[in-house]
Amino acid sequence: MDFNLSDDQRAFVEMASQFAEAELAPHASEWDEHHHFPKEVIQRAGELGFCSLYTPEENGGLGLSRLDSALIFEALAEGCTATTAMMTIHNMATWMIASWGTETLKQQWCQKLTSGQALASYCLTEPGCGSDAANLKTKAVRDGDDYLVSGSKMFISGAGATEMLVVMARTGEDGPKGISAFAVAADSVGIEYGKAEAKMGWNAQPTRLVSFDSVRIPAANLLGNEGQGFALAMKGLDGGRINIAACSLGTAEAALKRAKAYMQERSQFGKPLAAFQALQFKLADMATELVAARQMVRLAAFKLDSGDPEASAYCAMAKRFATDVGFTVCNEALQLHGGYGYIKEYPLERHVRDVRVHQILEGTNEIMRVIIARRLLDASAGVIA
Ligand SMILES: Cc1cc2nc3c(=O)[nH]c(=O)nc-3n(C[C@H](O)[C@H](O)[C@H](O)COP(=O)(O)OP(=O)(O)OC[C@H]3O[C@@H](n4cnc5c(N)ncnc54)[C@H](O)[C@@H]3O)c2cc1C
């Protein structure tokens, strides 16, 4: 077992870190304050392949593994959590279109999406069903060569600023087997966008309600077959959860570095904060938990890459653990800064606000426990150890 990164992986991380330092970190605070969605910067990230990391090469992506992708997202998130998180959602939606789209759809959209010229949102949550996503109510009714989509989607990241929506809608029976997935052009007639939600964090990207009123979309925009949509949405989320976990790791790493430096700069009672053992222990715990979370994210990515039948449970474990650790590390780094941690001149309060939502979206951390426990208690499940 070799825990070292390969030369290629080190090169990817180096490239992502350089991009994060040059293009993301210097502006992250301003984007947060002004609620600016830096689409042009994401498009520049697209020129380096960051908008299609694990989309297959034949569809214009880099075709990297989930492990390589997680390393890159972690490095990017050190620069700006909210922007990187939006890139991860775009990567997930793009991968879904490339993996299950019809040839017609792929020809129309893949090049634009993989290059980052067009961005994609992922639309599963509805006002009435979040955790219970299999109960969704948005409908898609076949009408000749088209479908008519009606309903609404809540909390959609990037909505109103993206060009493509991957929408899960009901085409059949109640429950998960009656759901299909569609690629819907974001400017289709009948789509309306709600106001940008006023949020605690993730302010460098908009979050909106999206309403569909008999939106006509070609049948060629169906992903996979009718009835497969929920399974495809969950496959997307397996990778998505690793990516969000990686965003927590990157942000926590940034917070840890700041805390370490601050403990050496700041003196109280005639000595640097770093001299107090209580604070040394806090730092030691932050680093220990972050290293453990990083290994878990990499293990889950490896399980997904190697087609392990229990990969979903590992992805859920990694998402639950790394996003909890990410929040704790950022919060402790804020505490180590005392009052300065609480003011906006320092990035700690933004880190705390940004990583908090990682414990909620792409399945709450309670739902991660539901997924893990279900597999542990299923007699037909494979080894989870
Ligand atoms: C900023 C932001 C961006 C988002 N982006 C997207 C996006 O791009 N696309 C998208 O589709 N969705 C998105 N979401 C939605 C997100 O995935 C949901 O908010 C999340 O899945 C929870 O759903 P809910 O808010 O309806 O909470 P609920 O499902 O109502 O849950 C409320 C509470 O009950 C708990 N709970 C529910 N059921 C159980 C259970 N069985 N056992 C134990 N506890 C339970 C939950 O964990 C939670 O604590 C986003 C949300 C936010 C805040």
Side-chain angles (χ1 to χ4, degrees):
M1 196 182 293
D2 184 355
F3 284 92
N4 291 314
L5 300 189
S6 68
D7 289 346
D8 279 352
Q9 287 169 331
R10 275 201 297 273
F12 289 139
V13 170
E14 179 62 28
M15 186 167 68
S17 294
Q18 279 173 7
F19 186 84
E21 276 165 34
E23 301 267 6
L24 302 178
H27 311 290
S29 163
E30 189 191 325
W31 295 336
D32 171 66
E33 188 182 345
H34 299 293
H35 294 210
H36 174 68
F37 181 46
K39 211 169 166 179
E40 66 295 343
V41 177
I42 297 183
Q43 282 162 347
R44 281 207 290 285
E47 288 165 18
L48 298 173
F50 297 155
C51 284
S52 53
L53 291 174
Y54 52 92
T55 295
E57 282 176 287
E58 61 267 27
N59 301 120
L62 289 192
L64 295 182
S65 67
R66 303 311 174 94
L67 179 52
D68 294 346
S69 306
L71 300 172
I72 292 170
F73 287 135
E74 180 182 339
L76 290 173
E78 267 200 71
C80 178
T81 316
T83 311
T84 306
M86 185 61 225
M87 281 192 238
T88 74
I89 293 170
H90 168 79
N91 267 268
M92 169 172 68
T94 299
W95 173 78
M96 288 177 73
I97 289 171
S99 301
W100 298 298
T102 59
E103 282 310 313
T104 314
L105 180 72
K106 288 197 278 191
Q107 272 175 17
Q108 281 171 349
W109 282 95
C110 273
Q111 196 276 331
K112 283 188 269 188
L113 290 169
T114 54
S115 64
Q117 278 171 273
L119 298 180
S121 294
Y122 173 92
C123 309
L124 179 64
T125 305
E126 298 187 352
C129 57
S131 299
D132 187 13
N135 194 24
L136 62 81
K137 302 288 184 252
T138 296
K139 274 208 161 108
V141 179
R142 185 83 193 218
D143 184 45
D145 288 338
D146 301 323
Y147 285 89
L148 293 174
V149 178
S150 295
S152 51
K153 295 290 178 181
M154 188 72 189
F155 296 134
I156 302 308
S157 299
T162 51
E163 285 72 25
M164 166 55 68
L165 307 172
V166 170
V167 180
M168 274 47 78
R170 190 163 300 286
T171 47
E173 66 195 65
D174 287 349
K177 295 204 170 123
I179 295 171
S180 302
F182 297 91
V184 181
D187 60 356
S188 303
V189 175
I191 297 184
E192 282 195 13
Y193 295 96
K195 64 172 178 20
E197 302 290 353
K199 299 178 302 231
M200 174 180 177
W202 269 30
N203 289 322
Q205 48 154 303
T207 306
R208 289 190 170 89
L209 175 88
V210 187
S211 307
F212 301 83
D213 182 7
S214 297
V215 177
R216 186 170 287 280
I217 54 165
N221 287 25
L222 176 69
L223 304 183
N225 297 320
E226 268 197 23
Q228 279 188 329
F230 191 73
L232 304 188
M234 293 304 114
K235 280 185 200 289
L237 280 182
D238 277 343
R241 286 169 184 158
I242 292 173
N243 300 342
I244 285 296
C247 289
S248 284
L249 297 178
T251 314
E253 181 65 37
L256 180 66
K257 281 180 183 156
R258 290 253 174 193
K260 210 162 46 172
Y262 190 76
M263 281 173 67
Q264 279 150 350
E265 288 158 28
R266 173 82 172 169
S267 286
Q268 288 295 288
F269 300 97
K271 36 185 177 174
L273 298 180
F276 297 111
Q277 197 176 47
L279 304 189
Q280 291 173 7
F281 279 17
K282 202 188 269 286
L283 198 68
D285 284 347
M286 288 158 70
T288 305
E289 293 197 8
L290 184 52
V291 169
R294 185 174 286 125
Q295 300 318 314
M296 196 169 225
V297 170
R298 293 179 184 181
L299 174 66
F302 164 78
K303 295 278 181 190
L304 203 52
D305 284 328
S306 53
D308 188 301
E310 298 307 332
S312 296
Y314 283 96
C315 292
M317 286 183 193
K319 193 269 185 186
R320 203 288 288 163
F321 189 70
T323 59
D324 283 351
V325 167
F327 181 76
T328 304
V329 168
C330 291
N331 203 28
E332 292 289 27
L334 185 155
Q335 185 71 16
L336 283 168
H337 279 71
Y340 297 95
Y342 196 68
I343 62 170
K344 294 203 173 201
E345 197 180 327
Y346 290 78
L348 286 314
E349 60 82 35
R350 172 165 50 83
H351 292 331
V352 169
R353 288 187 287 105
D354 280 343
V355 293
R356 181 63 182 85
V357 76
H358 301 180
Q359 295 170 298
I360 297 172
L361 51 60
E362 303 212 357
T364 66
N365 284 2
E366 289 76 26
I367 294 305
M368 295 307 100
R369 291 177 172 92
V370 170
I371 293 169
I372 299 159
R374 192 184 292 147
R375 291 311 294 165
L376 287 170
L377 296 171
D378 184 335
S380 69
V383 176
I384 302 172

